[in-house]
Structure formats: C-alpha cells, structure tokens
Amino acid sequence: LAQFPPDAAAIAHKLKGSARAVGAMRVAAAAADLETAFQNGADPANALAALDDTVGEARAAIDAILRRS
C-alpha cells in the first residue's frame, strides 16, 4: 500500500459518489470495491484492475454515444 497516497480510500470514495451522480453505476461499484480494499488494508491490485477495466468500458460507451450525435 506504500505506493498509494495516504488518502487513496477517500479518493476512491469521491470517485464512487461522482460515478453515481452521472449514472455510471458499474464504475461506482468498482470504486466502492477499491475503497473497501484500502479501508481493510487489503491488496488493492485486483480492485484497481477491475476499476480500470470498468472505466474503460464506460469511456467506450460514452465515445459510442458521442459518435452517434
């Protein structure tokens, strides 16, 4: 956990709330999992990878919508 900032759980929490606010519920769920990993002192690697994948999916969906506009 040393390579992460001390406020990593708070950052994940903010991302969770922001994602919920824009309707990106899968991103919010992945951010919640990352927040939990940090809070529990667990290895966040899997949760971070899942968040990265989920954000990528959200970006692809947004790009597809913008291309149709």
Side-chain angles (χ1 to χ4, degrees):
L1 295 176
Q3 75 250 24
F4 295 100
D7 59 344
I11 293 169
H13 181 81
K14 289 178 186 178
L15 176 58
K16 176 180 69 175
S18 297
R20 284 181 179 161
V22 298
M25 297 307 176
R26 291 185 66 204
V27 173
D33 290 344
L34 182 60
E35 178 185 15
T36 299
F38 282 123
Q39 289 173 337
N40 293 338
D43 182 358
N46 289 337
L48 186 59
L51 176 60
D52 186 51
D53 290 344
T54 305
V55 168
E57 292 168 5
R59 287 188 64 175
I62 292 166
D63 287 343
I65 291 168
L66 292 176
R67 280 192 298 271
R68 286 185 270 174
S69 297

